[in-house]
Amino acid sequence: MDVPIHREWMRLALAEAEQAPATRDVPVGAIVVRDGVVIAARRNERELTNDPTAHAEILALRDAAAAIGDWRLTDCTLVVTLEPCVMCAGAIVSARVGTLVFGAWDEKAGAAGSLYDIVRDRRLNHRVEVYPGVEVEASARLLLEFFEDPLRRP
């Protein structure tokens, strides 16, 4: 289901992602929206911070929880340019995120429907509503351009 507001939010996440290559980080951006308002916006910072957990999703979830004063993000939407990995999918479930919107699929490490589907696994205590493939071409293009340029890669 294509929701116009999801495309608008994805463009904000893409703007975050576009800044990541300046620090040689993979161009992934994430925003968290609550009641139609962006409460967090981050990009990958693993190279910048030497932190293996500094994925855009994790950083955005931390900022969102701090912004609302609660770790439960049930009434929030996480918008990310790339399908979340296993670590991020686990954090999404743990944070009780209500909705996940993502752009490009990650056939090698995705955990929201491609390789795994952690965010909708019925064995877990929470399941997330998922809208995949939003602005997929723009999301994929950023990643392809990054990995094609040897000067940008770590």
Side-chain angles (χ1 to χ4, degrees):
M1 180 172 153
D2 193 5
V3 180
I5 194 67
H6 291 171
R7 290 193 307 273
E8 183 179 323
W9 291 341
M10 184 60 74
R11 286 190 281 277
L12 297 174
L14 285 162
E16 279 294 314
E18 289 169 355
Q19 298 176 51
T23 56
R24 301 185 73 202
D25 279 288
V26 176
V28 176
I31 66 167
V32 178
V33 179
R34 183 180 192 215
D35 298 326
V37 176
V38 176
I39 61 170
R42 297 297 292 266
R43 61 187 168 276
N44 274 358
E45 294 184 2
R46 288 193 316 171
E47 298 298 326
L48 177 66
T49 62
N50 289 316
D51 177 355
T53 68
H55 289 201
E57 301 95 306
I58 299 292
L59 299 174
L61 292 175
R62 288 177 186 161
D63 288 356
I68 67 171
D70 193 347
W71 63 268
R72 293 169 195 88
L73 304 176
T74 53
D75 58 348
C76 293
T77 297
L78 173 65
V79 181
V80 61
T81 59
L82 179 64
E83 179 184 6
C85 69
V86 171
M87 174 183 70
C88 293
I92 291 164
V93 170
S94 293
R96 315 287 197 275
V97 170
T99 305
L100 168 66
V101 176
F102 71 85
W105 291 92
D106 187 347
E107 299 296 330
K108 292 183 181 180
S114 62
L115 189 59
Y116 303 103
D117 199 356
I118 291 171
V119 296
R120 291 180 286 202
D121 190 321
R122 296 202 175 277
R123 296 169 293 180
L124 300 176
N125 63 335
H126 178 73
R127 280 167 297 289
V128 180
E129 185 174 11
V130 179
Y131 294 88
V134 176
E135 296 290 340
V136 65
E137 294 85 8
S139 297
R141 185 173 41 255
L142 267 179
L143 293 162
L144 288 171
E145 289 172 359
F146 176 81
F147 287 110
E148 286 176 351
D149 183 350
L151 297 177
R152 296 177 109 176
R153 287 194 307 253

